[in-house]
Amino acid sequence: MAEVKSHEFDGFLKRKPLPVRLFLIYGPDRGLVSERAAALAASSGVDLTDAFSVVKLDAGEIGGQPGRLIDEMNAIGLFGGDRLVWVRNAGSEKGLSDALDILAKMPTGPSTLIIEAGDLKKGAGLRKAAESSSAVVAIPCYADDGRALQALIDQELTSEGLRISPAARTRLVETIGGDRLASRNEVRKLALYCRGRDLIEEQDVEEIVGDASAISTDDAIDAILKGDKDGFLHAIQKIVSSKTPVFLVLQGCLRQFQLLELMRAEMDEKRAPAAQAMATLGRHLHFRRKPIVENALKTWTGPAIRRETQRLQAAILQSRQRPALEDTIAMQTMLATVLQSARR
């Protein structure tokens, strides 16, 4: 596998033509994943305005059928030329990882594949498929560090002919950084607010910039597990501001309840405490999330978890069948789950 680190990405994009046609972009910074996927698509040489040359898929459409993606990659455009297959919202779909593994072993064709994924853990099927082949380039996207944030601020403000005072810059850096798109949007909002002036002061930052320093779907899922309605709504507001699809939170919530179901089954079968189930099945969880998940295991019974899992699965199916109502279905379902958690 060739891995392109954050500081190498801009230089990698300048290589013409790009060295491979299979790309996996993943990480907790959803905005940066989306931004880099768009940059790769623009550099692929494919006409992005041609509907016959660009195929956009949701990972859920592939599910456990790798043939769907392989057929799209091997298809020939109506008018010939290169094609782009762009897959979004990828996670633990086995069909997708199997398809990537098969495509990596096939001769290079006329199609470019871009997969946008969430925060894939080490050993996840999709990462494993990419890491085992030199035909795939993996691009991890983590929250911007201080240097990247400074470069982002300079880029956006310079284009507007604005300068920023040291105190205002320090305050701005403190309030951005959790998600690239959210951070960029906040800086652009600040530039628009101060347009026509020479210097941005600290007060301007305090008046107009929102907190975009820690946007994560995990925040919303943790609030659901705790039954914290206000915390959930606050987290969702930040997620929406960052242009992250609400569906990803619903999908993450389903995965969390599927894990709870496995843990609870082990507890009931072995008459083991929640801590023991966490030690065996929850080792991959971030240490800050473990107490929240452990407490949920103590308050949710096995039958209740199964009912909630089935309801979340039904909501995801509904959202796929009625895309126009996707956000509404997701929000209503998750709010109901928050209230269920609060009752427990």
Side-chain angles (χ1 to χ4, degrees), residues 31-68:
L32 187 54
V33 168
S34 178
E35 188 173 281
R36 288 187 168 166
L40 274 174
S43 298
S44 66
V46 178
D47 182 3
L48 301 183
T49 63
D50 182 0
F52 295 105
S53 298
V54 180
V55 177
K56 294 183 178 180
L57 299 171
D58 188 277
E61 297 177 54
I62 299 168
Q65 301 175 331
R68 172 71 192 280

Side-chain angles (χ1 to χ4, degrees), residues 16 45 70 74 80 106 139-140 153 155 166 243 247 273 296 332:
K16 302 294 182 184
I70 294 169
N74 290 327
M106 295 173 62
I139 304 170
I153 293 169
Q155 178 187 1
K243 304 295 192 252
F247 174 78
Q332 288 181 344

Side-chain angles (χ1 to χ4, degrees), residues 4 61 150 168 224 241 304 319-320 337 344:
V4 176
E61 297 177 54
Q150 297 288 359
I224 290 172
S241 298
S319 69
R320 298 295 87 185
T337 307
R344 298 179 182 279

Side-chain angles (χ1 to χ4, degrees), residues 177-247:
D179 177 279
R180 171 65 68 87
L181 281 182
S183 298
R184 191 181 294 279
N185 287 338
E186 290 299 326
V187 179
R188 286 177 176 174
K189 184 170 67 175
L190 176 64
L192 180 63
Y193 180 72
C194 297
R195 182 171 289 174
R197 292 162 46 185
D198 293 328
L199 185 67
I200 297 173
E201 300 288 357
E202 184 177 9
Q203 184 178 350
D204 300 319
V205 177
E206 293 175 350
E207 288 176 351
I208 199 65
V209 176
D211 182 9
S213 60
I215 293 169
S216 168
T217 57
D218 286 345
D219 295 338
I221 294 168
D222 289 347
I224 290 172
L225 293 180
K226 291 187 291 185
D228 181 0
K229 180 182 174 183
D230 291 338
F232 170 72
L233 293 174
H234 178 67
I236 281 291
Q237 184 178 18
K238 293 174 70 176
I239 287 166
V240 171
S241 298
S242 74
K243 304 295 192 252
T244 299
V246 175
F247 174 78

Side-chain angles (χ1 to χ4, degrees), residues 29-226:
D29 191 332
R30 303 281 184 170
L32 187 54
V33 168
S34 178
E35 188 173 281
R36 288 187 168 166
L40 274 174
S43 298
S44 66
V46 178
D47 182 3
L48 301 183
T49 63
D50 182 0
F52 295 105
S53 298
V54 180
V55 177
K56 294 183 178 180
L57 299 171
D58 188 277
E61 297 177 54
I62 299 168
Q65 301 175 331
R68 172 71 192 280
L69 181 58
I70 294 169
D71 288 345
E72 289 290 359
M73 287 292 290
N74 290 327
I76 299 173
L78 184 62
F79 302 106
D82 293 346
R83 297 174 72 251
L84 172 66
V85 180
W86 195 339
V87 180
R88 290 182 167 132
N89 302 330
S92 58
E93 296 82 6
K94 187 176 187 303
L96 189 55
S97 57
D98 288 347
L100 182 61
D101 189 44
I102 294 168
L103 289 168
K105 297 172 183 175
M106 295 173 62
T108 302
S111 297
T112 296
L113 173 65
I114 295 175
I115 301 175
E116 290 185 42
D119 187 12
L120 302 175
K121 306 300 181 185
K122 188 73 172 176
L126 204 50
R127 272 189 70 174
K128 191 174 180 180
E131 290 171 354
S132 60
S133 174
S134 60
V136 185
V137 165
I139 304 170
C141 299
Y142 299 104
D144 289 322
D145 58 16
R147 184 173 64 177
L149 289 177
Q150 297 288 359
L152 175 65
I153 293 169
D154 290 338
Q155 178 187 1
E156 293 297 330
L157 297 185
T158 300
S159 65
E160 294 291 337
L162 289 166
R163 295 181 298 113
I164 185 168
S165 70
R169 181 183 289 271
T170 300
R171 181 71 178 124
L172 181 57
V173 168
E174 289 174 353
T175 55
I176 63 176
D179 177 279
R180 171 65 68 87
L181 281 182
S183 298
R184 191 181 294 279
N185 287 338
E186 290 299 326
V187 179
R188 286 177 176 174
K189 184 170 67 175
L190 176 64
L192 180 63
Y193 180 72
C194 297
R195 182 171 289 174
R197 292 162 46 185
D198 293 328
L199 185 67
I200 297 173
E201 300 288 357
E202 184 177 9
Q203 184 178 350
D204 300 319
V205 177
E206 293 175 350
E207 288 176 351
I208 199 65
V209 176
D211 182 9
S213 60
I215 293 169
S216 168
T217 57
D218 286 345
D219 295 338
I221 294 168
D222 289 347
I224 290 172
L225 293 180
K226 291 187 291 185

